[in-house]
């Protein structure tokens, strides 16, 4: 089974802190994604990466950056945390950007619930 | 622009009764549709997908979904609900193509509550 591991389940940070959320997948997937999940808004894509050192902005990239130095690891960075970034953050991976659609299923981590005080 | 709508925030059903969770979509070109489920304190899990072919798609845990092109709908169904089906359900559609791949657009989610 594909395993996507997010390093923290719960985080509490203070406004202005730099925050790192880590995600590791163990199935050699090319694609990795960061979403935030808020009630009534569903999942919104923050950033994604389709290869090492490659990144693309999603729908709500403001206030975030990402890093993908190794294929299995995709980090989300909050440069200066703000209270409006309090949310559930979900990491996901999928096989390959150009795979036939039948294989392009996303696998999710358990999520990190971040509270910014 | 591609979009997906789940018109119900919550669906309540008694155990043993059939359930339906609604989803409508808007895409240009052929729609590629997915259902995911999220149990408490867990990430999302893939349930089923429609790519092409038979309009009735069968997935995990006894769920199925019916693709209706004329109504642009992809409703999730199960003939007999279980209490353990209580969870948050997300409909998703393949979105625009970025360099080398695709983006998945998720609905807002529908919370299913199955009462014993």
């Amino acid at each position: 089974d594909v395993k996507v591991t997010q390093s923290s389940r719960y985080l509490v940070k203070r406004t202005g802190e730099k925050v790192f959320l880590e995600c590791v997948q163990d199935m050699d997937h090319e694609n990795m994604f960061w979403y935030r999940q808020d009630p009534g808004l569903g999942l919104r894509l923050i950033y994604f990466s389709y290869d090492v050192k490659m990144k693309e902005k999603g729908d709500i990239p403001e206030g975030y950056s990402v890093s993908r130095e190794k294929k299995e690891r995709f980090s989300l960075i909050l440069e200066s945390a703000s209270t409006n970034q309090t949310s559930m953050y979900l990491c996901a991976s999928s096989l390959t950007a150009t795979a036939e659609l039948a294989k392009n299923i996303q696998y999710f981590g358990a999520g990190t619930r971040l509270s910014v005080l | 622009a591609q979009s997906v709508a789940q018109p119900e925030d919550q669906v309540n059903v008694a155990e043993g009764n059939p359930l339906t969770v609604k989803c409508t979509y808007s895409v240009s070109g052929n729609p590629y549709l997915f259902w995911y489920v999220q149990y408490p304190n867990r990430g999302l899990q893939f349930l089923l997908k429609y790519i092409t072919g038979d309009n009735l798609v069968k997935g995990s845990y006894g769920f199925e979904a019916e693709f209706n092109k004329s109504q642009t709908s992809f409703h999730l169904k199960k003939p007999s609900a279980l209490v353990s089906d209580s969870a948050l359900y997300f409909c998703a559609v393949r979105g625009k193509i970025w360099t080398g791949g695709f983006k998945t657009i998720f609905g807002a989610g529908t919370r299913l509550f199955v009462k014993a």
Side-chain angles (χ1 to χ4, degrees):
Chain A
D1 284 348
V2 175
K3 191 169 184 181
V4 179
T5 304
Q6 294 183 232
S7 55
S8 304
R9 292 299 302 274
Y10 302 95
L11 277 179
V12 180
K13 298 293 181 180
R14 295 203 176 276
T15 302
E17 280 192 77
K18 190 170 185 176
V19 181
F20 293 87
L21 302 183
E22 306 287 347
C23 175
V24 176
Q25 50 94 3
D26 67 355
M27 283 300 291
D28 203 35
H29 283 176
E30 292 184 8
N31 292 346
M32 295 189 75
F33 309 83
W34 275 107
Y35 295 91
R36 63 177 284 174
Q37 180 182 6
D38 299 288
L41 297 177
L43 274 67
R44 293 180 292 168
L45 183 64
I46 304 171
Y47 266 98
F48 56 91
S49 169
Y50 53 90
D51 202 353
V52 175
K53 296 190 184 297
M54 305 301 289
K55 60 184 179 183
E56 292 281 348
K57 293 181 179 179
D59 300 314
I60 51 165
E62 295 79 18
Y64 303 95
S65 63
V66 290
S67 172
R68 193 162 181 205
E69 297 296 318
K70 294 184 178 182
K71 192 174 185 179
E72 67 271 18
R73 186 179 297 271
F74 192 36
S75 303
L76 180 69
I77 303 158
L78 287 66
E79 296 289 342
S80 178
S82 63
T83 55
N84 62 13
Q85 292 178 310
T86 291
S87 185
M88 170 70 87
Y89 289 88
L90 293 172
C91 175
S93 71
S94 67
L95 183 60
T96 175
T98 54
E100 59 188 272
L101 285 165
K103 297 180 182 177
N104 213 349
I105 297 164
Q106 292 190 31
Y107 296 85
F108 286 81
T112 296
R113 188 168 294 281
L114 173 67
S115 296
V116 182
L117 306 178
Chain B
Q2 288 91 345
S3 65
V4 58
Q6 295 180 242
E8 301 155 316
D9 292 335
Q10 182 165 314
V11 170
N12 299 309
V13 64
E15 188 174 32
N17 284 359
L19 69 88
T20 299
V21 182
K22 295 180 180 178
C23 172
T24 59
Y25 64 89
S26 173
V27 295
S28 54
N30 293 324
Y32 300 103
L33 300 154
F34 304 83
W35 275 101
Y36 287 82
V37 60
Q38 184 180 34
Y39 297 103
N41 300 313
R42 304 281 295 277
L44 276 69
Q45 297 176 35
F46 168 76
L47 267 182
L48 50 80
K49 65 184 183 293
Y50 173 82
I51 304 298
T52 187
D54 195 350
N55 288 345
L56 186 64
V57 179
K58 293 188 183 297
S60 306
Y61 312 121
F63 283 93
E64 57 191 27
E66 186 170 11
F67 170 66
N68 188 317
K69 189 172 184 177
S70 63
Q71 297 185 4
T72 61
S73 67
F74 189 56
H75 300 331
L76 181 70
K77 299 181 180 184
K78 187 173 182 180
S80 179
L82 300 172
V83 172
S84 58
D85 293 329
S86 299
L88 187 57
Y89 290 82
F90 291 94
C91 183
V93 64
R94 187 190 72 164
K96 64 181 179 182
I97 298 173
W98 79 81
T99 305
F102 310 99
K103 185 176 78 170
T104 302
I105 298 170
F106 289 85
T110 298
R111 188 165 298 281
L112 174 66
F113 181 70
V114 181
K115 186 177 181 180

mmCIF file with all atom_site columns, all heavy atoms in Angstrom, chain B residues 1-26:
data_model
loop_
_atom_site.group_PDB
_atom_site.id
_atom_site.type_symbol
_atom_site.label_atom_id
_atom_site.label_alt_id
_atom_site.label_comp_id
_atom_site.label_asym_id
_atom_site.label_entity_id
_atom_site.label_seq_id
_atom_site.pdbx_PDB_ins_code
_atom_site.Cartn_x
_atom_site.Cartn_y
_atom_site.Cartn_z
_atom_site.occupancy
_atom_site.B_iso_or_equiv
_atom_site.pdbx_formal_charge
_atom_site.auth_seq_id
_atom_site.auth_comp_id
_atom_site.auth_asym_id
_atom_site.auth_atom_id
_atom_site.pdbx_PDB_model_num
ATOM 1   N N   . ALA B 1 1  ? -14.685 27.475 -16.830 1.00 0.00 ? 1  ALA B N   1
ATOM 2   C CA  . ALA B 1 1  ? -13.826 26.959 -15.774 1.00 0.00 ? 1  ALA B CA  1
ATOM 3   C C   . ALA B 1 1  ? -14.421 25.683 -15.196 1.00 0.00 ? 1  ALA B C   1
ATOM 4   O O   . ALA B 1 1  ? -15.629 25.530 -15.110 1.00 0.00 ? 1  ALA B O   1
ATOM 5   C CB  . ALA B 1 1  ? -13.667 28.005 -14.677 1.00 0.00 ? 1  ALA B CB  1
ATOM 6   N N   . GLN B 1 2  ? -13.528 24.786 -14.817 1.00 0.00 ? 2  GLN B N   1
ATOM 7   C CA  . GLN B 1 2  ? -14.004 23.535 -14.228 1.00 0.00 ? 2  GLN B CA  1
ATOM 8   C C   . GLN B 1 2  ? -14.416 23.756 -12.782 1.00 0.00 ? 2  GLN B C   1
ATOM 9   O O   . GLN B 1 2  ? -13.778 24.514 -12.049 1.00 0.00 ? 2  GLN B O   1
ATOM 10  C CB  . GLN B 1 2  ? -12.892 22.478 -14.275 1.00 0.00 ? 2  GLN B CB  1
ATOM 11  C CG  . GLN B 1 2  ? -12.601 21.942 -15.658 1.00 0.00 ? 2  GLN B CG  1
ATOM 12  C CD  . GLN B 1 2  ? -11.522 22.732 -16.371 1.00 0.00 ? 2  GLN B CD  1
ATOM 13  O OE1 . GLN B 1 2  ? -11.180 23.838 -15.970 1.00 0.00 ? 2  GLN B OE1 1
ATOM 14  N NE2 . GLN B 1 2  ? -10.971 22.169 -17.422 1.00 0.00 ? 2  GLN B NE2 1
ATOM 15  N N   . SER B 1 3  ? -15.488 23.079 -12.392 1.00 0.00 ? 3  SER B N   1
ATOM 16  C CA  . SER B 1 3  ? -15.956 23.200 -11.016 1.00 0.00 ? 3  SER B CA  1
ATOM 17  C C   . SER B 1 3  ? -16.748 21.968 -10.645 1.00 0.00 ? 3  SER B C   1
ATOM 18  O O   . SER B 1 3  ? -17.200 21.212 -11.513 1.00 0.00 ? 3  SER B O   1
ATOM 19  C CB  . SER B 1 3  ? -16.810 24.450 -10.830 1.00 0.00 ? 3  SER B CB  1
ATOM 20  O OG  . SER B 1 3  ? -17.995 24.350 -11.583 1.00 0.00 ? 3  SER B OG  1
ATOM 21  N N   . VAL B 1 4  ? -16.921 21.784 -9.345  1.00 0.00 ? 4  VAL B N   1
ATOM 22  C CA  . VAL B 1 4  ? -17.738 20.679 -8.854  1.00 0.00 ? 4  VAL B CA  1
ATOM 23  C C   . VAL B 1 4  ? -18.531 21.190 -7.670  1.00 0.00 ? 4  VAL B C   1
ATOM 24  O O   . VAL B 1 4  ? -18.014 21.946 -6.846  1.00 0.00 ? 4  VAL B O   1
ATOM 25  C CB  . VAL B 1 4  ? -16.867 19.461 -8.489  1.00 0.00 ? 4  VAL B CB  1
ATOM 26  C CG1 . VAL B 1 4  ? -15.837 19.795 -7.440  1.00 0.00 ? 4  VAL B CG1 1
ATOM 27  C CG2 . VAL B 1 4  ? -17.712 18.291 -8.078  1.00 0.00 ? 4  VAL B CG2 1
ATOM 28  N N   . ALA B 1 5  ? -19.792 20.780 -7.598  1.00 0.00 ? 5  ALA B N   1
ATOM 29  C CA  . ALA B 1 5  ? -20.681 21.246 -6.538  1.00 0.00 ? 5  ALA B CA  1
ATOM 30  C C   . ALA B 1 5  ? -21.308 20.067 -5.808  1.00 0.00 ? 5  ALA B C   1
ATOM 31  O O   . ALA B 1 5  ? -21.750 19.102 -6.431  1.00 0.00 ? 5  ALA B O   1
ATOM 32  C CB  . ALA B 1 5  ? -21.775 22.137 -7.126  1.00 0.00 ? 5  ALA B CB  1
ATOM 33  N N   . GLN B 1 6  ? -21.303 20.161 -4.496  1.00 0.00 ? 6  GLN B N   1
ATOM 34  C CA  . GLN B 1 6  ? -22.016 19.198 -3.662  1.00 0.00 ? 6  GLN B CA  1
ATOM 35  C C   . GLN B 1 6  ? -23.089 19.993 -2.927  1.00 0.00 ? 6  GLN B C   1
ATOM 36  O O   . GLN B 1 6  ? -22.791 20.727 -1.990  1.00 0.00 ? 6  GLN B O   1
ATOM 37  C CB  . GLN B 1 6  ? -21.047 18.515 -2.707  1.00 0.00 ? 6  GLN B CB  1
ATOM 38  C CG  . GLN B 1 6  ? -20.017 17.672 -3.427  1.00 0.00 ? 6  GLN B CG  1
ATOM 39  C CD  . GLN B 1 6  ? -19.044 16.985 -2.480  1.00 0.00 ? 6  GLN B CD  1
ATOM 40  O OE1 . GLN B 1 6  ? -17.837 17.227 -2.515  1.00 0.00 ? 6  GLN B OE1 1
ATOM 41  N NE2 . GLN B 1 6  ? -19.554 16.112 -1.655  1.00 0.00 ? 6  GLN B NE2 1
ATOM 42  N N   . PRO B 1 7  ? -24.325 19.877 -3.357  1.00 0.00 ? 7  PRO B N   1
ATOM 43  C CA  . PRO B 1 7  ? -25.375 20.791 -2.882  1.00 0.00 ? 7  PRO B CA  1
ATOM 44  C C   . PRO B 1 7  ? -25.795 20.592 -1.436  1.00 0.00 ? 7  PRO B C   1
ATOM 45  O O   . PRO B 1 7  ? -26.414 21.473 -0.853  1.00 0.00 ? 7  PRO B O   1
ATOM 46  C CB  . PRO B 1 7  ? -26.530 20.517 -3.834  1.00 0.00 ? 7  PRO B CB  1
ATOM 47  C CG  . PRO B 1 7  ? -26.298 19.119 -4.311  1.00 0.00 ? 7  PRO B CG  1
ATOM 48  C CD  . PRO B 1 7  ? -24.810 18.955 -4.374  1.00 0.00 ? 7  PRO B CD  1
ATOM 49  N N   . GLU B 1 8  ? -25.448 19.462 -0.851  1.00 0.00 ? 8  GLU B N   1
ATOM 50  C CA  . GLU B 1 8  ? -25.866 19.169 0.528   1.00 0.00 ? 8  GLU B CA  1
ATOM 51  C C   . GLU B 1 8  ? -24.663 19.167 1.459   1.00 0.00 ? 8  GLU B C   1
ATOM 52  O O   . GLU B 1 8  ? -23.678 18.476 1.222   1.00 0.00 ? 8  GLU B O   1
ATOM 53  C CB  . GLU B 1 8  ? -26.555 17.802 0.584   1.00 0.00 ? 8  GLU B CB  1
ATOM 54  C CG  . GLU B 1 8  ? -27.780 17.704 -0.312  1.00 0.00 ? 8  GLU B CG  1
ATOM 55  C CD  . GLU B 1 8  ? -28.077 16.269 -0.709  1.00 0.00 ? 8  GLU B CD  1
ATOM 56  O OE1 . GLU B 1 8  ? -27.128 15.534 -1.068  1.00 0.00 ? 8  GLU B OE1 1
ATOM 57  O OE2 . GLU B 1 8  ? -29.257 15.889 -0.664  1.00 0.00 ? 8  GLU B OE2 1
ATOM 58  N N   . ASP B 1 9  ? -24.762 19.962 2.523   1.00 0.00 ? 9  ASP B N   1
ATOM 59  C CA  . ASP B 1 9  ? -23.704 19.941 3.528   1.00 0.00 ? 9  ASP B CA  1
ATOM 60  C C   . ASP B 1 9  ? -23.731 18.642 4.315   1.00 0.00 ? 9  ASP B C   1
ATOM 61  O O   . ASP B 1 9  ? -22.691 18.126 4.720   1.00 0.00 ? 9  ASP B O   1
ATOM 62  C CB  . ASP B 1 9  ? -23.865 21.111 4.500   1.00 0.00 ? 9  ASP B CB  1
ATOM 63  C CG  . ASP B 1 9  ? -23.618 22.440 3.833   1.00 0.00 ? 9  ASP B CG  1
ATOM 64  O OD1 . ASP B 1 9  ? -22.889 22.466 2.810   1.00 0.00 ? 9  ASP B OD1 1
ATOM 65  O OD2 . ASP B 1 9  ? -24.152 23.456 4.314   1.00 0.00 ? 9  ASP B OD2 1
ATOM 66  N N   . GLN B 1 10 ? -24.936 18.127 4.553   1.00 0.00 ? 10 GLN B N   1
ATOM 67  C CA  . GLN B 1 10 ? -25.078 16.923 5.361   1.00 0.00 ? 10 GLN B CA  1
ATOM 68  C C   . GLN B 1 10 ? -26.229 16.080 4.821   1.00 0.00 ? 10 GLN B C   1
ATOM 69  O O   . GLN B 1 10 ? -27.238 16.624 4.359   1.00 0.00 ? 10 GLN B O   1
ATOM 70  C CB  . GLN B 1 10 ? -25.335 17.275 6.835   1.00 0.00 ? 10 GLN B CB  1
ATOM 71  C CG  . GLN B 1 10 ? -25.444 16.060 7.744   1.00 0.00 ? 10 GLN B CG  1
ATOM 72  C CD  . GLN B 1 10 ? -25.345 16.391 9.221   1.00 0.00 ? 10 GLN B CD  1
ATOM 73  O OE1 . GLN B 1 10 ? -24.469 17.138 9.633   1.00 0.00 ? 10 GLN B OE1 1
ATOM 74  N NE2 . GLN B 1 10 ? -26.241 15.839 10.024  1.00 0.00 ? 10 GLN B NE2 1
ATOM 75  N N   . VAL B 1 11 ? -26.038 14.782 4.886   1.00 0.00 ? 11 VAL B N   1
ATOM 76  C CA  . VAL B 1 11 ? -27.081 13.823 4.522   1.00 0.00 ? 11 VAL B CA  1
ATOM 77  C C   . VAL B 1 11 ? -27.275 12.891 5.708   1.00 0.00 ? 11 VAL B C   1
ATOM 78  O O   . VAL B 1 11 ? -26.295 12.348 6.243   1.00 0.00 ? 11 VAL B O   1
ATOM 79  C CB  . VAL B 1 11 ? -26.687 13.012 3.265   1.00 0.00 ? 11 VAL B CB  1
ATOM 80  C CG1 . VAL B 1 11 ? -27.651 11.863 3.049   1.00 0.00 ? 11 VAL B CG1 1
ATOM 81  C CG2 . VAL B 1 11 ? -26.645 13.917 2.038   1.00 0.00 ? 11 VAL B CG2 1
ATOM 82  N N   . ASN B 1 12 ? -28.513 12.733 6.112   1.00 0.00 ? 12 ASN B N   1
ATOM 83  C CA  . ASN B 1 12 ? -28.856 11.843 7.215   1.00 0.00 ? 12 ASN B CA  1
ATOM 84  C C   . ASN B 1 12 ? -29.661 10.668 6.673   1.00 0.00 ? 12 ASN B C   1
ATOM 85  O O   . ASN B 1 12 ? -30.609 10.855 5.903   1.00 0.00 ? 12 ASN B O   1
ATOM 86  C CB  . ASN B 1 12 ? -29.673 12.573 8.278   1.00 0.00 ? 12 ASN B CB  1
ATOM 87  C CG  . ASN B 1 12 ? -28.916 13.734 8.879   1.00 0.00 ? 12 ASN B CG  1
ATOM 88  O OD1 . ASN B 1 12 ? -27.772 13.592 9.321   1.00 0.00 ? 12 ASN B OD1 1
ATOM 89  N ND2 . ASN B 1 12 ? -29.527 14.905 8.897   1.00 0.00 ? 12 ASN B ND2 1
ATOM 90  N N   . VAL B 1 13 ? -29.284 9.465  7.099   1.00 0.00 ? 13 VAL B N   1
ATOM 91  C CA  . VAL B 1 13 ? -29.991 8.277  6.632   1.00 0.00 ? 13 VAL B CA  1
ATOM 92  C C   . VAL B 1 13 ? -29.971 7.233  7.741   1.00 0.00 ? 13 VAL B C   1
ATOM 93  O O   . VAL B 1 13 ? -29.031 7.186  8.556   1.00 0.00 ? 13 VAL B O   1
ATOM 94  C CB  . VAL B 1 13 ? -29.361 7.750  5.327   1.00 0.00 ? 13 VAL B CB  1
ATOM 95  C CG1 . VAL B 1 13 ? -27.936 7.293  5.579   1.00 0.00 ? 13 VAL B CG1 1
ATOM 96  C CG2 . VAL B 1 13 ? -30.182 6.649  4.715   1.00 0.00 ? 13 VAL B CG2 1
ATOM 97  N N   . ALA B 1 14 ? -31.011 6.422  7.781   1.00 0.00 ? 14 ALA B N   1
ATOM 98  C CA  . ALA B 1 14 ? -31.070 5.350  8.768   1.00 0.00 ? 14 ALA B CA  1
ATOM 99  C C   . ALA B 1 14 ? -30.311 4.132  8.255   1.00 0.00 ? 14 ALA B C   1
ATOM 100 O O   . ALA B 1 14 ? -30.277 3.859  7.042   1.00 0.00 ? 14 ALA B O   1
ATOM 101 C CB  . ALA B 1 14 ? -32.524 4.971  9.050   1.00 0.00 ? 14 ALA B CB  1
ATOM 102 N N   . GLU B 1 15 ? -29.694 3.420  9.172   1.00 0.00 ? 15 GLU B N   1
ATOM 103 C CA  . GLU B 1 15 ? -28.947 2.222  8.808   1.00 0.00 ? 15 GLU B CA  1
ATOM 104 C C   . GLU B 1 15 ? -29.873 1.244  8.083   1.00 0.00 ? 15 GLU B C   1
ATOM 105 O O   . GLU B 1 15 ? -31.016 1.023  8.483   1.00 0.00 ? 15 GLU B O   1
ATOM 106 C CB  . GLU B 1 15 ? -28.363 1.565  10.055  1.00 0.00 ? 15 GLU B CB  1
ATOM 107 C CG  . GLU B 1 15 ? -27.415 0.419  9.748   1.00 0.00 ? 15 GLU B CG  1
ATOM 108 C CD  . GLU B 1 15 ? -26.735 -0.140 10.985  1.00 0.00 ? 15 GLU B CD  1
ATOM 109 O OE1 . GLU B 1 15 ? -27.371 -0.113 12.061  1.00 0.00 ? 15 GLU B OE1 1
ATOM 110 O OE2 . GLU B 1 15 ? -25.569 -0.575 10.876  1.00 0.00 ? 15 GLU B OE2 1
ATOM 111 N N   . GLY B 1 16 ? -29.354 0.692  6.982   1.00 0.00 ? 16 GLY B N   1
ATOM 112 C CA  . GLY B 1 16 ? -30.141 -0.261 6.194   1.00 0.00 ? 16 GLY B CA  1
ATOM 113 C C   . GLY B 1 16 ? -30.877 0.378  5.035   1.00 0.00 ? 16 GLY B C   1
ATOM 114 O O   . GLY B 1 16 ? -31.294 -0.312 4.103   1.00 0.00 ? 16 GLY B O   1
ATOM 115 N N   . ASN B 1 17 ? -31.038 1.693  5.097   1.00 0.00 ? 17 ASN B N   1
ATOM 116 C CA  . ASN B 1 17 ? -31.703 2.401  4.003   1.00 0.00 ? 17 ASN B CA  1
ATOM 117 C C   . ASN B 1 17 ? -30.696 2.757  2.913   1.00 0.00 ? 17 ASN B C   1
ATOM 118 O O   . ASN B 1 17 ? -29.496 2.875  3.175   1.00 0.00 ? 17 ASN B O   1
ATOM 119 C CB  . ASN B 1 17 ? -32.371 3.679  4.513   1.00 0.00 ? 17 ASN B CB  1
ATOM 120 C CG  . ASN B 1 17 ? -33.657 3.383  5.256   1.00 0.00 ? 17 ASN B CG  1
ATOM 121 O OD1 . ASN B 1 17 ? -34.069 2.219  5.378   1.00 0.00 ? 17 ASN B OD1 1
ATOM 122 N ND2 . ASN B 1 17 ? -34.307 4.416  5.765   1.00 0.00 ? 17 ASN B ND2 1
ATOM 123 N N   . PRO B 1 18 ? -31.188 2.980  1.699   1.00 0.00 ? 18 PRO B N   1
ATOM 124 C CA  . PRO B 1 18 ? -30.275 3.412  0.634   1.00 0.00 ? 18 PRO B CA  1
ATOM 125 C C   . PRO B 1 18 ? -29.836 4.858  0.871   1.00 0.00 ? 18 PRO B C   1
ATOM 126 O O   . PRO B 1 18 ? -30.555 5.659  1.459   1.00 0.00 ? 18 PRO B O   1
ATOM 127 C CB  . PRO B 1 18 ? -31.125 3.306  -0.635  1.00 0.00 ? 18 PRO B CB  1
ATOM 128 C CG  . PRO B 1 18 ? -32.539 3.363  -0.157  1.00 0.00 ? 18 PRO B CG  1
ATOM 129 C CD  . PRO B 1 18 ? -32.551 2.760  1.209   1.00 0.00 ? 18 PRO B CD  1
ATOM 130 N N   . LEU B 1 19 ? -28.630 5.170  0.404   1.00 0.00 ? 19 LEU B N   1
ATOM 131 C CA  . LEU B 1 19 ? -28.133 6.532  0.543   1.00 0.00 ? 19 LEU B CA  1
ATOM 132 C C   . LEU B 1 19 ? -27.704 7.076  -0.803  1.00 0.00 ? 19 LEU B C   1
ATOM 133 O O   . LEU B 1 19 ? -27.288 6.337  -1.695  1.00 0.00 ? 19 LEU B O   1
ATOM 134 C CB  . LEU B 1 19 ? -26.970 6.579  1.537   1.00 0.00 ? 19 LEU B CB  1
ATOM 135 C CG  . LEU B 1 19 ? -25.651 5.930  1.153   1.00 0.00 ? 19 LEU B CG  1
ATOM 136 C CD1 . LEU B 1 19 ? -24.734 6.897  0.391   1.00 0.00 ? 19 LEU B CD1 1
ATOM 137 C CD2 . LEU B 1 19 ? -24.909 5.442  2.388   1.00 0.00 ? 19 LEU B CD2 1
ATOM 138 N N   . THR B 1 20 ? -27.830 8.384  -0.923  1.00 0.00 ? 20 THR B N   1
ATOM 139 C CA  . THR B 1 20 ? -27.340 9.098  -2.106  1.00 0.00 ? 20 THR B CA  1
ATOM 140 C C   . THR B 1 20 ? -26.651 10.368 -1.653  1.00 0.00 ? 20 THR B C   1
ATOM 141 O O   . THR B 1 20 ? -27.217 11.129 -0.863  1.00 0.00 ? 20 THR B O   1
ATOM 142 C CB  . THR B 1 20 ? -28.495 9.464  -3.067  1.00 0.00 ? 20 THR B CB  1
ATOM 143 O OG1 . THR B 1 20 ? -29.126 8.275  -3.524  1.00 0.00 ? 20 THR B OG1 1
ATOM 144 C CG2 . THR B 1 20 ? -27.956 10.241 -4.267  1.00 0.00 ? 20 THR B CG2 1
ATOM 145 N N   . VAL B 1 21 ? -25.463 10.589 -2.158  1.00 0.00 ? 21 VAL B N   1
ATOM 146 C CA  . VAL B 1 21 ? -24.741 11.840 -1.938  1.00 0.00 ? 21 VAL B CA  1
ATOM 147 C C   . VAL B 1 21 ? -24.558 12.480 -3.312  1.00 0.00 ? 21 VAL B C   1
ATOM 148 O O   . VAL B 1 21 ? -23.980 11.879 -4.213  1.00 0.00 ? 21 VAL B O   1
ATOM 149 C CB  . VAL B 1 21 ? -23.379 11.596 -1.262  1.00 0.00 ? 21 VAL B CB  1
ATOM 150 C CG1 . VAL B 1 21 ? -22.685 12.923 -0.997  1.00 0.00 ? 21 VAL B CG1 1
ATOM 151 C CG2 . VAL B 1 21 ? -23.550 10.815 0.028   1.00 0.00 ? 21 VAL B CG2 1
ATOM 152 N N   . LYS B 1 22 ? -25.029 13.708 -3.442  1.00 0.00 ? 22 LYS B N   1
ATOM 153 C CA  . LYS B 1 22 ? -25.125 14.320 -4.765  1.00 0.00 ? 22 LYS B CA  1
ATOM 154 C C   . LYS B 1 22 ? -23.872 15.096 -5.152  1.00 0.00 ? 22 LYS B C   1
ATOM 155 O O   . LYS B 1 22 ? -23.195 15.690 -4.303  1.00 0.00 ? 22 LYS B O   1
ATOM 156 C CB  . LYS B 1 22 ? -26.343 15.249 -4.812  1.00 0.00 ? 22 LYS B CB  1
ATOM 157 C CG  . LYS B 1 22 ? -27.655 14.514 -4.659  1.00 0.00 ? 22 LYS B CG  1
ATOM 158 C CD  . LYS B 1 22 ? -28.825 15.476 -4.704  1.00 0.00 ? 22 LYS B CD  1
ATOM 159 C CE  . LYS B 1 22 ? -30.141 14.731 -4.543  1.00 0.00 ? 22 LYS B CE  1
ATOM 160 N NZ  . LYS B 1 22 ? -31.296 15.650 -4.534  1.00 0.00 ? 22 LYS B NZ  1
ATOM 161 N N   . CYS B 1 23 ? -23.618 15.098 -6.463  1.00 0.00 ? 23 CYS B N   1
ATOM 162 C CA  . CYS B 1 23 ? -22.490 15.849 -7.010  1.00 0.00 ? 23 CYS B CA  1
ATOM 163 C C   . CYS B 1 23 ? -22.832 16.284 -8.429  1.00 0.00 ? 23 CYS B C   1
ATOM 164 O O   . CYS B 1 23 ? -23.317 15.476 -9.229  1.00 0.00 ? 23 CYS B O   1
ATOM 165 C CB  . CYS B 1 23 ? -21.236 14.982 -7.025  1.00 0.00 ? 23 CYS B CB  1
ATOM 166 S SG  . CYS B 1 23 ? -19.828 15.718 -7.877  1.00 0.00 ? 23 CYS B SG  1
ATOM 167 N N   . THR B 1 24 ? -22.609 17.531 -8.740  1.00 0.00 ? 24 THR B N   1
ATOM 168 C CA  . THR B 1 24 ? -22.719 18.002 -10.114 1.00 0.00 ? 24 THR B CA  1
ATOM 169 C C   . THR B 1 24 ? -21.413 18.669 -10.497 1.00 0.00 ? 24 THR B C   1
ATOM 170 O O   . THR B 1 24 ? -20.657 19.127 -9.646  1.00 0.00 ? 24 THR B O   1
ATOM 171 C CB  . THR B 1 24 ? -23.889 18.993 -10.305 1.00 0.00 ? 24 THR B CB  1
ATOM 172 O OG1 . THR B 1 24 ? -23.691 20.115 -9.435  1.00 0.00 ? 24 THR B OG1 1
ATOM 173 C CG2 . THR B 1 24 ? -25.214 18.329 -9.999  1.00 0.00 ? 24 THR B CG2 1
ATOM 174 N N   . TYR B 1 25 ? -21.140 18.724 -11.778 1.00 0.00 ? 25 TYR B N   1
ATOM 175 C CA  . TYR B 1 25 ? -19.838 19.197 -12.223 1.00 0.00 ? 25 TYR B CA  1
ATOM 176 C C   . TYR B 1 25 ? -19.989 20.091 -13.442 1.00 0.00 ? 25 TYR B C   1
ATOM 177 O O   . TYR B 1 25 ? -21.018 20.101 -14.119 1.00 0.00 ? 25 TYR B O   1
ATOM 178 C CB  . TYR B 1 25 ? -18.932 18.012 -12.566 1.00 0.00 ? 25 TYR B CB  1
ATOM 179 C CG  . TYR B 1 25 ? -19.444 17.208 -13.733 1.00 0.00 ? 25 TYR B CG  1
ATOM 180 C CD1 . TYR B 1 25 ? -19.101 17.513 -15.042 1.00 0.00 ? 25 TYR B CD1 1
ATOM 181 C CD2 . TYR B 1 25 ? -20.322 16.142 -13.519 1.00 0.00 ? 25 TYR B CD2 1
ATOM 182 C CE1 . TYR B 1 25 ? -19.600 16.792 -16.107 1.00 0.00 ? 25 TYR B CE1 1
ATOM 183 C CE2 . TYR B 1 25 ? -20.824 15.407 -14.578 1.00 0.00 ? 25 TYR B CE2 1
ATOM 184 C CZ  . TYR B 1 25 ? -20.469 15.742 -15.862 1.00 0.00 ? 25 TYR B CZ  1
ATOM 185 O OH  . TYR B 1 25 ? -20.974 15.030 -16.915 1.00 0.00 ? 25 TYR B OH  1
ATOM 186 N N   . SER B 1 26 ? -18.932 20.807 -13.715 1.00 0.00 ? 26 SER B N   1
ATOM 187 C CA  . SER B 1 26 ? -18.855 21.625 -14.918 1.00 0.00 ? 26 SER B CA  1
ATOM 188 C C   . SER B 1 26 ? -17.434 21.528 -15.443 1.00 0.00 ? 26 SER B C   1
ATOM 189 O O   . SER B 1 26 ? -16.482 21.886 -14.745 1.00 0.00 ? 26 SER B O   1
ATOM 190 C CB  . SER B 1 26 ? -19.194 23.085 -14.607 1.00 0.00 ? 26 SER B CB  1
ATOM 191 O OG  . SER B 1 26 ? -18.967 23.897 -15.748 1.00 0.00 ? 26 SER B OG  1
#
